[in-house]
Amino acid sequence: MANHGVASFDYTYDVFLSFRRGVHRAFIDHLYKALDGVDIKIFKDDDEEESTTEEEETKPDLLEKIVRSRISVVVLCKDFPFSTRCLDEVAKIMECYDKKTMQVVGLFYDGVIAADVRWQKEDRAYGKAITQHKERLGLGEESEKIKTWRSALFRVCELIALNCDKKYETELISMIAKGVSARFPPLRKTTFAAYIYNNIINNQYIAASFISNIRDKPKVEDLQSTLLSEMGEKRESRRGDTDGGGREIKRKLSVKKVLLVLDGVDKIEQLKSLAGGCDWFGPGSKIIITTRDATLLNRHRVKIKRYQMTELSDDDSHKLSCWYAFDDSEPAQNFANLVPQALSIAKGVPLALKKLGSILKEWEMELDRYNKVPEAFEFLLKSFGN
């Protein structure tokens, strides 16, 4: 089962982090900082007073925050199912998924595997937890709550679900942040590539790599090392030997079904050194390339299916600029006349919309300061006039 596109909706958060409070704090904080570092608005419940018992109150406002989130990242550790609040969260998350208002990413963490979560066998953590809840709450196997919990756990495994090996924890978190960062409708080439990456990466690929802004990274050998590292391989060829690095990529990945995104390619040497041919990667692999120079694809002499990005529609441009400027799909008070002017300048180019939205946000902050301390601004205006 794949994640679907997200329906138009009034969101407050880009990402809702669902996790068992009080455990694996370092991992959760690392994940939060990585997402925050790419300008993603996250809700992370930091209630340190959460009960350590299995029964925890699920507050209505917490469920409402799930509803108002575009993507949910569910960290499925061994302690997760022993919390009724965690089970209520994942049930609500799947309810939102069914309404096509949310996408979902599951992380199997701390030795948990998909089979544990999917089948909930009684001799494993997830099965033991459900049994304990049934006994403590006096619920039968056919009770609505138990069936809802079991179904939600089973189905979350069918969506985007990643195994988090602690040895590659940093690389995985970086990869998640890059994928989830595509939170708006298709924007620029980089965001579009990230959106595709986020939506098709799943257990059918043995390894994956997303290398962004290649044009800003002049050393091809560094890019080769990054590609191999993100694919779970250690570089053995001599640094500076790009031909050797290419042969190593082919030797190590030609038998693997991989997903590779090369974003912002601007030189033919980059393509030849990172994805020299279809036989460099195993059958079923997907290679996605974004570039401003389509002639590079002709010179590479590899059969490539093309997609031409177009400017955003007026409606999407309006919403995007307002989200960047006012954290809402509509302009703030006193800005209704400025937004159309910004849109006419940006001409549907997402990066321009982002920059102009940031400028409008600064103006909004200045006006807010003026409203709070008008006397100071009046003094400055008079001084400027003199």
Side-chain angles (χ1 to χ4, degrees), residues 50 102 155 161 166 249 252 336:
E50 181 186 53
M102 175 178 285
R155 296 180 61 221
K166 289 190 176 182
I249 291 172
K252 291 185 174 180

Short mmCIF file of all heavy atoms in Angstrom, two decimals, residues 50 102 155 161 166 249 252 336:
data_model
loop_
_atom_site.label_atom_id
_atom_site.label_comp_id
_atom_site.label_asym_id
_atom_site.label_seq_id
_atom_site.Cartn_x
_atom_site.Cartn_y
_atom_site.Cartn_z
N GLU A 50 4.10 12.77 31.70
CA GLU A 50 3.30 11.67 31.22
C GLU A 50 3.43 10.47 32.16
O GLU A 50 4.49 10.17 32.70
CB GLU A 50 3.76 11.27 29.82
CG GLU A 50 2.95 10.14 29.23
CD GLU A 50 3.54 9.69 27.91
OE1 GLU A 50 4.73 9.39 27.87
OE2 GLU A 50 2.80 9.62 26.93
N MET A 102 -3.74 13.11 5.10
CA MET A 102 -2.44 12.91 5.75
C MET A 102 -1.63 11.84 5.03
O MET A 102 -2.19 10.88 4.51
CB MET A 102 -2.64 12.52 7.21
CG MET A 102 -1.37 12.16 7.97
SD MET A 102 -1.71 11.76 9.69
CE MET A 102 -2.01 13.41 10.34
N ARG A 155 -1.86 -1.74 9.57
CA ARG A 155 -1.89 -0.96 8.34
C ARG A 155 -0.73 0.03 8.23
O ARG A 155 -0.30 0.36 7.13
CB ARG A 155 -3.24 -0.24 8.23
CG ARG A 155 -4.41 -1.20 8.09
CD ARG A 155 -5.73 -0.45 8.00
NE ARG A 155 -5.73 0.41 6.83
CZ ARG A 155 -6.22 1.65 6.83
NH1 ARG A 155 -6.71 2.17 7.94
NH2 ARG A 155 -6.21 2.36 5.72
N ALA A 161 7.48 2.64 5.43
CA ALA A 161 7.99 2.17 6.71
C ALA A 161 9.48 1.85 6.57
O ALA A 161 9.87 1.08 5.69
CB ALA A 161 7.22 0.94 7.18
N LYS A 166 20.68 1.49 14.27
CA LYS A 166 21.40 2.52 15.03
C LYS A 166 22.75 2.87 14.42
O LYS A 166 23.25 3.98 14.60
CB LYS A 166 21.58 2.07 16.49
CG LYS A 166 20.28 2.06 17.28
CD LYS A 166 20.51 1.84 18.76
CE LYS A 166 19.21 1.94 19.54
NZ LYS A 166 19.39 1.79 20.99
N ILE A 249 31.06 2.21 -7.67
CA ILE A 249 29.60 2.33 -7.58
C ILE A 249 28.93 1.23 -8.39
O ILE A 249 28.00 0.56 -7.92
CB ILE A 249 29.14 3.73 -8.08
CG1 ILE A 249 29.60 4.82 -7.11
CG2 ILE A 249 27.62 3.77 -8.24
CD1 ILE A 249 29.39 6.23 -7.60
N LYS A 252 29.41 -2.29 -6.71
CA LYS A 252 28.70 -2.53 -5.45
C LYS A 252 27.18 -2.42 -5.57
O LYS A 252 26.45 -3.02 -4.77
CB LYS A 252 29.21 -1.56 -4.39
CG LYS A 252 30.64 -1.83 -3.97
CD LYS A 252 31.08 -0.93 -2.83
CE LYS A 252 32.46 -1.32 -2.32
NZ LYS A 252 32.92 -0.48 -1.20
N ALA A 336 -3.84 42.38 2.14
CA ALA A 336 -4.59 41.81 1.02
C ALA A 336 -4.21 42.43 -0.32
O ALA A 336 -4.20 41.75 -1.35
CB ALA A 336 -6.09 41.97 1.27
#
